[in-house]
Amino acid sequence: MFAAATVETPLIELGNTAANAPGVPTLRPGCAGEEIRPIEVGAGWIATIDSLCAVTPGAIGEDAAIVVPGSLLSRGRTAQSIFDGKFLGVTAPAAPDFQLVPGDGQVTVVWQASATDTIGDPYFTAAGNPASDLFNANYRQFDVEGYRIFRGPAPDDLTLIAQFDKAGTEFIDTNCETDPTFVAGTVCPSWGPDEIPGTPDDTPVNVDISAPFVQYPVNKIFELADGSPIVTEADTLLADLVRAGTGRPLTNTGIPFAFVDNGVRNGFQYFYQVRAFDTNSLASGPSSLISSSATESTFPQAPAPNQEIASLQTWISGDDAVPLNPGAPLPSIDLDDGTFSGPMPPSDAFELGFAPLVERLLPQFGLTATVDSVAIFQTGNIAGGTQEFGPSSTCPSVGQINDRLASPFGACWAMYLSVDLDGQVSQQVVRGYGPWWSAFGTPPELEVQGLRQLVPYDNTSAEQFDVPLGAGSDAAWDALAMESINNSTADGPQARRFGHFHGGSRWFSGDNESVADPTQNIRVGSLEGVDTVWAPISHTPLTPGGDAVGGDAAFEKQCYNRGLAFLSRAADTEFRWEGGTFVSVRDVTHNVNVPFSPKAGTTWGFLTTDANGNGVLDWQDFNYIDRAHQILRGVDGGNCDASSSNGRWDPDSSFTTVDLVSTPTLMPTSTEGLDVAGSAAAAGLTQTGTGFGLFVFGERFIFELSGLPSDGTKWTLRTYSGTITVDDENAPNPSGYAYAINSTGAGNAHPYGSRSVLRDEPV
């Protein structure tokens, strides 16, 4: 049985004065000029689909009618759909299986995925069928969102102790359920002009399923007299459960399928439940339902004297397999001359371990993950066309993830890993990006999920606790990516732009720095036998007290450092000469070789091409290096491409690129950095010496010298993350040097992981 209010029509409103003569109703209302009578309009019949009129002889069916939602005809079709679906309704997920592993002062809860997570929500049979009146384009087939764990002293006295929800899940909103401005009866902004609301071809809006996640019921948003919407009712996911203490906000924790409960005492009995919960469209039912659960109990206890418990050891090493020491102290900086006492310590931005560690179930094993190579990639609209290189994936842009977290250049990285578990080798790819710029605030940081490798539990131990064979714990390797532009590579647009003119990457000969004030103003260190070591640094006066925004301080130089700073690292890198080229380039902080590449990357290469054709190798020629060129053009409305007011380096919008080479050739060079508009920016640069260019880790250098170094010569490049300051920036002989791992403006020490950006280098 079903019922509904009559739809308002003018002819019914007229009562006995209306022209509602009796007669036999047509079998084809709305087809070929046939009348749709007032009584049919009152039941909700709006119009008839012409295409069904043409293919349906005789009486047309209810599917041919376009009806008013909630009308008698609409509810009749819904009732028919429910009947046809054997009264299938929205249901909670299937209960997950789980096991308890008692330990010393702890209980480990191990569970398996709900069957609904594999077979899908049964109601999707109806809700996902466009031919059904129960169709809902927003309904999610695989809607299990997470799991809740309850514990208590009795089966009827349980308390929520943990909740895990999937990371990266999205609600694909086609019907404007998540839009607080959508007023019923108007056109959903995501619908195209010719689309029927709720059909699969509507353009969706993808919404991250994390707190706060809000849906708005149909007919609960109204339009005020001034045209603005007012929300009278909203459904904030899990809000009621959070208030009641039986749920927690969704935070994209990921699902570990094991949880170690340390809130127990040996010898006491504890009861547990594990329940799956879902997230789905409010238009079809509750936004979240939770499964039932069996109740299991156990007694935590100390292990027997002869029981073996796993002991886990993890470490990071270079290619020599010798463990590195990420906890080594930072080097000191000399207060008077600004030289570091030594290199940065190895990266502490990695976390290695298990999610979680279940000691009583793990077998004896060995696991090694090696980063074989790193690729940079970029997708999106580039000036003059669409450019894509590297592994196929999409890089986020500013605003997509969080303001200033994603680079406006749309550039990301991918690590290719070999994972060896007791001789079984597999390949994995980890993609990510570094947060970009804090606008001189506290440097942002971003957790990057890396390796996930299942280590199966020991069969004997698993069998003891009824854990299914083949289950295991995930070995987890995650990284903390730090602000790219806070690296010494980008000292110009960051620290120097803020007024700190005495920091940045530096070159030196010998075992350590020995030249005072190595990075004062435009210096980038000193090398024996080299006349000039120069880098195009923006926002920097040539001499103490000079103009920081004129002359060689061209503003347009900063876009290069901004766009490629994510390729940097904090380390000492040694370059050894033999036979007129580098026989080795080695990161001695992390004990790994740095490969040559003809393209820009986490690599090195010589630049010996006069790309802009002005007769000298100058700072603008670096803009044409393959991959660097595309990244610089990827920024929308920034300071790099030729269409912007500051993008003067390539006025003809040419996509011509050049490759780096592994052997240098001496050629005319210019270490001028004139800030001149248009093609004159290249034509105005004059020769200052002979030498070559070097690209390394996203940074560019020009070396002027009369001959190539002799065999055995060693150059060292020292890079870091953070800020160097002095007492008086304009003093000819600065003093009071200080180094902090922080942003240029904040001055506060930055937490864990900030000193290193090794996320793009093999370990």
Side-chain angles (χ1 to χ4, degrees), residues 332-356:
S332 61
I333 191 168
D334 190 285
L335 295 177
D336 294 322
D337 64 25
T339 58
F340 280 110
S341 61
M344 297 296 113
S347 173
D348 62 356
F350 293 103
E351 293 183 19
L352 301 171
F354 275 81

Side-chain angles (χ1 to χ4, degrees), residues 545-720:
D547 182 6
V549 295
D552 277 22
F555 183 81
E556 61 186 288
K557 292 189 185 74
Q558 76 167 349
C559 67
Y560 194 100
N561 302 112
R562 284 182 166 192
L564 277 72
F566 76 106
L567 303 175
S568 183
R569 73 186 68 188
D572 273 16
T573 305
E574 289 185 355
F575 299 74
R576 292 187 177 273
W577 287 90
E578 188 172 318
T581 189
F582 294 140
V583 68
S584 73
V585 178
R586 187 164 178 83
D587 177 345
V588 295
T589 297
H590 301 98
N591 295 334
V592 288
N593 292 324
V594 181
F596 160 79
S597 174
K599 317 295 183 185
T602 63
T603 51
W604 66 273
F606 293 107
L607 178 64
T608 57
T609 303
D610 175 19
N612 58 20
N614 64 351
V616 293
L617 178 71
D618 60 76
W619 68 272
Q620 289 189 337
D621 293 318
F622 287 87
N623 296 329
Y624 295 87
I625 298 172
D626 197 3
R627 303 289 165 84
H629 187 99
Q630 292 91 327
I631 288 176
L632 298 180
R633 288 200 164 280
V635 65
D636 183 15
N639 302 313
C640 299
D641 79 48
S643 63
S644 68
S645 59
N646 292 304
R648 306 163 186 154
W649 57 270
D650 190 11
D652 60 358
S653 299
S654 170
F655 272 82
T656 301
T657 59
V658 299
D659 283 345
L660 300 168
V661 296
S662 59
T663 302
T665 301
L666 296 182
M667 61 182 296
T669 54
S670 176
T671 55
E672 293 179 342
L674 302 180
D675 184 11
V676 195
S679 59
L685 299 174
T686 60
Q687 181 177 355
T688 57
T690 60
F692 55 83
L694 179 67
F695 172 95
V696 56
F697 310 149
E699 201 162 3
R700 52 207 163 146
F701 301 97
I702 291 178
F703 300 86
E704 291 187 336
L705 63 177
S706 57
L708 295 177
S710 59
D711 291 355
T713 299
K714 182 184 77 173
W715 293 355
T716 299
L717 172 64
R718 176 165 291 166
T719 52
Y720 60 87

Side-chain angles (χ1 to χ4, degrees), residues 244-336:
T246 56
R248 297 176 182 174
L250 302 186
T251 56
N252 291 331
T253 59
I255 311 295
F257 292 106
F259 168 71
V260 179
D261 178 14
N262 292 304
V264 296
R265 297 177 63 183
N266 289 348
F268 289 84
Q269 185 177 19
Y270 294 91
F271 294 83
Y272 290 84
Q273 287 185 353
V274 178
R275 295 171 174 257
F277 66 92
D278 62 19
T279 299
N280 222 315
S281 169
L282 189 65
S284 293
S287 60
S288 183
L289 293 170
I290 188 168
S291 73
S292 61
S293 174
T295 302
E296 303 289 348
S297 69
T298 192
F299 294 84
Q301 56 189 343
N306 62 345
Q307 184 177 1
E308 278 193 73
I309 301 295
S311 175
L312 185 70
Q313 296 178 322
T314 64
W315 65 89
I316 301 174
S317 69
D319 56 23
D320 57 2
V322 176
L324 299 170
N325 181 18
L330 288 166
S332 61
I333 191 168
D334 190 285
L335 295 177
D336 294 322

